Amino acid sequence: MKNSLLNRLTPKEPKFFPLLKELAVVIQKASDLLIDLIDHYTPESAMEHYKMIKEVERAGDKLSNKVFDELNTTFITPFDREDIHSLAGKLDDVTDRINGCARRIAFYKPQRMPKSMSRMALMIKECGVSISHAVEELDVLKKNAHKAKAYCKELHEIENRADDEYQSFIMELFECENDSKEIIKLKEISYELERATDEAEQVGKIIKTIIVKYA
Amino acid sequence: MKNSLLNRLTPKEPKFFPLLKELAVVIQKASDLLIDLIDHYTPESAMEHYKMIKEVERAGDKLSNKVFDELNTTFITPFDREDIHSLAGKLDDVTDRINGCARRIAFYKPQRMPKSMSRMALMIKECGVSISHAVEELDVLKKNAHKAKAYCKELHEIENRADDEYQSFIMELFECENDSKEIIKLKEISYELERATDEAEQVGKIIKTIIVKYA
Amino acid sequence: MKNSLLNRLTPKEPKFFPLLKELAVVIQKASDLLIDLIDHYTPESAMEHYKMIKEVERAGDKLSNKVFDELNTTFITPFDREDIHSLAGKLDDVTDRINGCARRIAFYKPQRMPKSMSRMALMIKECGVSISHAVEELDVLKKNAHKAKAYCKELHEIENRADDEYQSFIMELFECENDSKEIIKLKEISYELERATDEAEQVGKIIKTIIVKYA
């Protein structure tokens, strides 16, 4: 039944937007858990938090597979199918990266958790909020792309701030830390946090490309 | 003659598939040589193996240039020309990355070659096999994308396993290795091995985008 | 007035090429300043040079935003709007990466500035020149893509040379440097220099995709 011609021909547009919104919610959930992990960090508790983030990441994986399956059984889509596909994939990448941050912390078990990490996790959460707002605008994009553009700009600015935070942290790390292993561990963890905001900015770039195509 | 109008108008579809299949074979050749390099590693022998991989990588480079040239002299293509172009480019990127792994090993000359490296090289080879299978499905993609999807899923799963292997290795490295230089060298090498499976997963993503567009 | 129908319908093609050319000029300016920074490096002077590069980077940011705005108020474009958008974005990425190199140097303040860094900065400048030439060819691309292809090949070759330089430098670094911090700092800086030529090669790949689509 699912693949029947009738089913394929029935307009199905609306279902993509809820799925994309759910993917944005998953990003926020993962970033909330990451803030928890970092703010209450102990080398012992980190693995427990990481496992919770891993579960959220798996839920995101299922959602993005669902988008892919829907694309293959739907004729009429609100945007070019490859744009929906790449947007869903990139939303999933953000969650993957947050999961990557949690895993590095849980596996590397640094001795301390500098305040910088906490600030970067908050920026990732900010990205999640901007992404949710931007995704909310998708169904009116062809009429009014003004707000969506503003949210993409926010993502660009948050990434810039995260980058500054990362570089300042590394500078301080080189100055104050003398344990080479600890330097490498903290550098790798903060790099992954910064890359999570990078991926979030990529979501903005994909949405801007969609704007350029349709607006 | 090559650029004559008659030549350009003659349907030429079939020639792209053999070239893409050859590019997949190149990936497997390179990964076989990488397994050899790692399993019989000595700081002295690595350079010799690397040179062999470098030659395979050059052959891949020529093949992907050939795809580019063919695209510019052919009117009718089985998929959008930019999709063939990006697929050929990404197949070439996988071989490039395998070459990058071999080069890092040959240049950094780590004191030991942990078993993890060997397991990751085997996963890269597995990727090569899945890629070959997926590319074999390209000419029936518009009729039946079922198998191609399954191979893309395999690539995603292998990448996940390689990522787990990489992270476990790094964790162990931080615990057991005390020579900072050796930590940096082995971290960089294993990171490049993991990235080779990343690139392979990207091949899967491009094929999934093609499926979404045409299936 | 800017968004009036008349304005949107008036053919506007020519304006994109000047903007893209300006973005290429920005890359050259940034790379000239980077050469200065490196050739006259002292841990004290680096921050001053970095600030100058930062200003050039901001100018590039404004230009690429201008391209985005123009795309949203223009009906007729010389290529698909998403291709112009991704080309402008990637040109901006090259400048961003040059800025990233300067920032790492200014923030990490390595004790010495090896000759390799200088050679890589020169290669980045070479990339800038090839990019400018390639962009000059855009408006005749549909008639004759021969020269544009040659410049893309140049970018590929410069990236290969930069990669060789990077790897040789790292090999030497592991052999001759014993201060772990200094190893990490110089490795990170040279990696960023190499990545700037990577981004430049990506410009070539986007232009090649445009050639494949239109030539």
Side-chain angles (χ1 to χ4, degrees), chain A residues 23-33 98 125 128-130 132:
Chain A
L23 275 165
V25 169
V26 165
I27 294 171
Q28 292 201 53
K29 272 190 202 160
S31 62
D32 279 333
L33 288 168
I98 296 172
K125 166 76 191 203
V129 174
S130 297
S132 280

Side-chain angles (χ1 to χ4, degrees), chain B residues 137-168:
Chain B
E137 294 298 315
L138 284 177
D139 47 4
V140 297
L141 209 59
K142 289 175 192 178
K143 283 172 243 161
N144 181 358
H146 190 73
K147 280 190 189 169
K149 279 185 209 176
Y151 296 126
C152 293
K153 210 179 161 211
E154 274 179 21
L155 288 168
H156 178 63
E157 286 163 358
I158 301 168
E159 194 276 335
N160 274 350
R161 276 193 286 129
D163 205 8
D164 288 344
E165 182 72 44
Y166 168 69
Q167 297 292 345
S168 305

Side-chain angles (χ1 to χ4, degrees), chain B residues 48-164:
Chain B
E48 212 52 50
H49 273 106
Y50 161 56
K51 281 180 189 161
M52 287 159 71
I53 293 176
K54 183 79 202 159
E55 266 178 49
V56 173
E57 187 261 340
R58 279 198 192 116
D61 225 27
K62 272 182 201 159
L63 276 169
S64 75
N65 280 331
K66 211 169 162 184
V67 172
F68 179 63
D69 290 339
E70 290 283 348
L71 282 169
N72 288 315
T73 52
T74 312
F75 272 0
I76 303 158
T77 56
F79 304 110
D80 278 355
R81 30 212 328 122
E82 59 267 36
D83 293 325
I84 299 172
H85 184 244
S86 74
L87 178 56
K90 190 49 79 180
L91 289 167
D92 197 30
D93 287 347
V94 179
T95 307
D96 277 1
R97 196 64 75 180
I98 295 172
N99 181 61
C101 297
R103 186 169 52 179
R104 286 196 182 189
I105 297 170
F107 278 35
Y108 298 178
K109 297 188 194 68
Q111 286 156 27
R112 59 193 180 94
M113 186 53 68
K115 200 76 198 103
S116 249
M117 308 292 187
S118 186
R119 283 195 289 270
M120 289 173 83
L122 277 171
M123 292 180 208
I124 295 173
K125 166 75 190 204
E126 277 184 67
C127 286
V129 174
S130 297
I131 286 174
S132 280
H133 287 151
V135 169
E136 293 282 341
E137 294 298 315
L138 284 177
D139 47 4
V140 297
L141 209 59
K142 289 175 192 178
K143 283 172 243 161
N144 181 358
H146 190 73
K147 280 190 189 169
K149 279 185 209 176
Y151 296 126
C152 293
K153 210 179 161 211
E154 274 179 21
L155 288 168
H156 178 63
E157 286 163 358
I158 301 168
E159 194 276 335
N160 274 350
R161 276 193 286 129
D163 205 8
D164 288 344

Side-chain angles (χ1 to χ4, degrees), chain C residues 51-66:
Chain C
K51 281 179 189 162
M52 286 159 72
I53 294 177
K54 182 80 201 158
E55 266 178 49
V56 173
E57 187 262 341
R58 279 197 191 116
D61 226 28
K62 271 182 201 159
L63 276 169
S64 75
N65 281 331
K66 211 169 162 185

Side-chain angles (χ1 to χ4, degrees), chain A residues 149 156 163-164 167 170-171 174-175 177-178 180 183-184 187 191 205 208-209 211-213, chain C residues 8 61 65 68 71-72 81-82 85 93 103-104 106-109 180-181 184-185 188 195:
Chain A
K149 277 185 211 176
H156 178 64
D163 206 8
D164 287 344
Q167 297 292 344
I170 296 296
M171 183 161 62
F174 281 134
E175 274 166 21
E177 179 65 63
N178 285 312
S180 299
I183 290 180
I184 298 172
K187 189 171 75 64
Y191 181 63
K205 285 190 180 174
K208 281 176 85 173
T209 303
I211 293 172
V212 159
K213 272 174 87 171
Chain C
R8 290 181 61 132
D61 226 28
N65 281 331
F68 178 63
L71 282 169
N72 288 314
R81 32 214 323 123
E82 59 266 36
H85 183 245
D93 288 346
R103 186 170 53 178
R104 287 195 182 191
F107 278 34
Y108 299 178
K109 296 188 195 69
S180 298
K181 264 194 202 183
I184 298 172
K185 286 178 183 184
E188 294 287 311
R195 284 219 291 179

